[in-house]
Amino acid sequence: MARTEHPSVSDYANAIERDPALTMRIITLANSAFFSRSHIKVHACQEATARLGLDTTLAAVMSFSLLQNRGVDVHYQRVWMRSIIASLAARHLAIHLCPDMAGPVFTAALLQDIGIMALRGIYPKESNDLYAEVALSHRQLSVSEQQLFGCDHSQVGAWLAAKWGVPSPLAQRICDSHGEYDITAPDMLCIQLSGSIADTWLSSHPARSLVSVLREFEIYHGAQAISLRHLLENIQEQLPALVDMLQMTAPPLQDNESLLAEAQQLLFQQTLQLKARLDTHQAELASLRQRQDELEERSRTDMLTGLANRSWLEEQMHKRFILCQQQSRNMSVVFIDLDHFKKLNDQYGHQMGDHVLQKFGKTLQALIREGDLAGRWGGEEFLVILPDEDAQAAQVFAKRIAQRLEKMPMAYDGQHPIHVSVSIGIACLGDGGFGDAGELIDAADKSMYFIKRTGRGGIAVHGERGAPGAPTSID
């Protein structure tokens, strides 16, 4: 009948009336407080079908048919009890969130688990152990079904409903009933939330299960305005009539006030525990980040002087060289070598030499500005990158280094100060056709060696008189 093109209320009623027991159940359902909005009782199948509507009538007929001769099966009882509670919860939610959809939502919630019946009927041996595990949530059950059958019971239920001839939207709601919460579709959200509420009602630890429902109500906009206490009371009022019509045994009544109070307390405790764990995780994450930062800092730092190491200098020179080319900016490089450092090591020892390197590193760091980068190139050689500076400004900086060294000893031998001098070479990006950062460094290096060959303790600028590429030097 459902698969015919345009079935009418009369067609349904005529088909149902062939089964007196089924007719009685449909009339009883239509006269129940759940569906009757007046004190007027219906006495005929056609009146009952008109009151229920075609979708609900079809769902009720299918429910009664699938339940037939299954009353002694405890698991069947549990599945249908879950469906009944879910349908009551879904209808209550729909009245608040999408009143026009209350009927279809009720029907879809009632039929959301019919796929379990089908799978048990087709694969009794394979599904027996699976469905006997009552501790599984329906989302966990869906995962297990996918592994065992290649589909879950919501998909099977939707297919079965479509074969019966139910409207496509109803079949789709059954299919999506166990999916991720769809907050954009209030009707689907009502159906999906209803399953969690039913699981809570049937749980051996209802207060613990209710905590997840409380969280869901807090998260989803619209559901926050619904009183969970009123919802549970509504289920408790409506449940006996529907259970009686399906000739089932109703679960024991709940003390909703105590249940909610206990659930709220559990939620509060869990929130505190979650916050404590979150604080711990955040502290661990902060510690890991700090350690990562320290490791990263070590990877680019010279351990003796605390300045940048050669690999970091080379990486930064490469990046800054490209940036200057792209943005038409300038940059100067200052190459520094401590004079007569081998003699200092031979005379005072390597420990004294290390102390001098450390002291010079601190001196150099104190002289650079923010944005500059000073590092140890290797041995007693140092490199300073001066972004946005021309050769003249770099020369001023180099002279400050030399003047500081004249005034400040780098170490003491007893009470005798040890002064060091430096040979400095400068190269400016804007003064030559440098192809890459390496060529710029090499130009500064050659200028520095020019000073070392001509007496040490001076400054040479690449391209100027006396320096490499030019006739004379400057001190």
Side-chain angles (χ1 to χ4, degrees):
M1 181 65 64
R3 286 196 292 269
T4 59
E5 188 172 354
H6 298 293
S8 67
V9 170
S10 297
D11 294 331
Y12 271 91
N14 292 335
I16 293 168
E17 284 176 339
R18 299 174 188 175
D19 183 339
L22 187 57
T23 300
M24 182 59 68
R25 288 189 173 188
I26 292 296
I27 292 173
T28 304
L29 182 63
N31 285 325
S32 67
F34 189 68
F35 284 103
S36 178
R37 298 189 180 183
S38 68
H39 297 292
I40 301 173
K41 301 294 184 181
V42 298
H43 303 279
C45 187
Q46 184 165 333
E47 293 175 330
T49 303
R51 176 175 287 182
L52 295 176
L54 296 185
D55 286 355
T56 303
T57 298
L58 183 59
V61 171
M62 289 188 293
S63 302
F64 296 142
S65 300
L66 285 170
L67 191 62
Q68 191 174 6
N69 300 322
R70 300 290 188 180
V72 295
D73 189 315
V74 175
H75 186 72
Y76 271 92
Q77 288 268 348
R78 180 178 178 83
V79 171
W80 279 110
M81 187 60 65
R82 181 184 189 274
S83 297
I84 292 169
I85 296 169
S87 66
L88 293 171
R91 186 174 185 271
H92 183 89
L93 291 169
I95 289 172
H96 290 82
L97 298 181
C98 48
D100 295 341
M101 302 296 293
V105 164
F106 167 81
T107 305
L110 182 64
L111 296 178
Q112 63 179 290
D113 292 331
I114 59 171
I116 293 179
M117 305 302 184
L119 287 170
R120 285 201 66 183
I122 299 169
Y123 303 108
K125 183 178 179 181
E126 293 87 342
S127 61
N128 186 56
D129 292 339
L130 174 63
Y131 293 131
E133 184 58 66
V134 296
L136 286 176
S137 72
H138 270 240
R139 293 205 172 179
Q140 294 171 324
L141 194 61
S142 293
V143 173
S144 299
E145 289 168 340
Q146 288 282 359
Q147 295 171 347
L148 186 60
F149 304 120
C151 58
D152 66 15
H153 66 267
S154 60
Q155 293 169 313
V156 173
W159 172 83
L160 183 60
K163 295 292 286 185
W164 277 336
V166 304
S168 297
L170 175 55
Q172 189 61 50
R173 290 188 183 100
I174 295 171
C175 185
D176 297 338
S177 59
H178 293 60
E180 294 297 324
Y181 290 123
D182 186 356
I183 59 175
T184 64
D187 57 323
M188 276 313 309
L189 183 59
C190 293
I191 297 166
Q192 291 162 341
L193 286 172
S194 72
S196 299
I197 295 167
D199 288 335
T200 294
W201 195 281
L202 296 173
S203 172
S204 55
H205 301 286
R208 196 180 306 164
S209 300
L210 191 58
V211 170
S212 63
V213 177
L214 287 170
R215 284 204 191 95
E216 289 163 0
F217 269 60
E218 288 177 353
I219 293 172
Y220 298 107
H221 180 71
Q224 300 172 359
I226 299 173
S227 167
L228 195 54
R229 179 173 62 83
H230 290 159
L231 187 150
L232 296 175
E233 288 175 352
N234 181 266
I235 294 174
Q236 194 139 289
E237 291 173 2
Q238 304 281 351
L239 187 58
L242 282 178
V243 166
D244 183 60
M245 277 181 277
L246 289 171
Q247 298 178 353
M248 298 174 65
T249 302
L253 298 178
Q254 302 280 0
D255 182 349
N256 293 326
E257 291 288 347
S258 300
L259 179 63
L260 277 170
E262 184 180 351
Q264 290 282 6
Q265 181 63 27
L266 287 172
L267 179 61
F268 178 70
Q269 292 173 357
Q270 289 183 14
T271 301
L272 289 180
Q273 292 169 356
L274 285 171
K275 185 179 183 305
R277 286 201 293 267
L278 181 61
D279 290 343
T280 301
H281 290 162
Q282 288 177 335
E284 291 173 351
L285 182 60
S287 177
L288 286 172
R289 284 174 177 166
Q290 182 179 353
R291 285 161 58 186
Q292 183 179 359
D293 291 343
E294 290 172 355
L295 289 172
E296 192 172 324
E297 184 67 25
R298 287 182 186 179
S299 71
R300 60 194 188 196
T301 302
D302 176 67
M303 291 296 101
L304 180 63
T305 64
L307 300 176
N309 58 26
R310 179 165 179 166
S311 63
W312 183 243
L313 283 170
E314 289 177 331
E315 180 181 334
Q316 288 299 300
M317 273 297 300
H318 175 71
K319 290 181 178 179
R320 296 185 188 203
F321 186 91
I322 293 175
L323 182 67
C324 286
Q325 286 185 320
Q326 291 174 341
Q327 300 181 0
S328 300
R329 294 168 62 179
N330 205 358
M331 174 174 65
S332 291
V333 176
V334 179
F335 208 107
I336 306 166
D337 182 86
L338 302 187
D339 295 329
H340 305 296
F341 189 73
K342 184 178 183 303
K343 289 183 180 180
L344 187 148
N345 271 333
D346 292 342
Q347 183 176 353
Y348 297 106
H350 288 280
Q351 187 173 357
M352 178 67 79
D354 287 347
H355 178 77
V356 169
L357 291 173
Q358 289 175 331
K359 181 70 173 179
F360 180 74
K362 291 178 181 177
T363 301
L364 196 58
Q365 187 66 43
L367 290 172
I368 64 173
R369 65 181 184 179
E370 186 178 357
D372 299 340
L373 181 63
R376 186 183 180 194
W377 191 251
E380 67 273 20
E381 295 179 336
F382 295 82
L383 185 76
V384 183
I385 304 171
L386 302 175
D388 300 315
E389 296 287 10
D390 58 16
Q392 185 177 1
Q395 196 172 356
V396 172
F397 172 74
K399 288 179 178 179
R400 288 175 59 202
I401 296 173
Q403 292 167 0
R404 180 68 63 90
L405 293 176
E406 288 177 1
K407 298 177 181 179
M408 180 185 294
M410 291 293 100
Y412 287 88
D413 179 23
Q415 294 183 347
H416 299 288
I418 299 175
H419 287 270
V420 297
S421 64
V422 289
S423 298
I424 300 175
I426 296 170
C428 178
L429 179 60
D431 293 341
F434 301 106
D436 56 36
E439 291 183 6
L440 184 61
I441 295 172
D442 187 57
D445 185 28
K446 288 178 179 178
S447 297
M448 181 271 294
Y449 270 100
F450 173 78
I451 294 296
K452 291 181 73 69
R453 288 194 304 269
T454 56
R456 295 182 173 85
I459 303 167
V461 179
H462 175 78
E464 293 191 358
R465 288 184 307 112
T472 58
S473 68
I474 58 173
D475 290 331

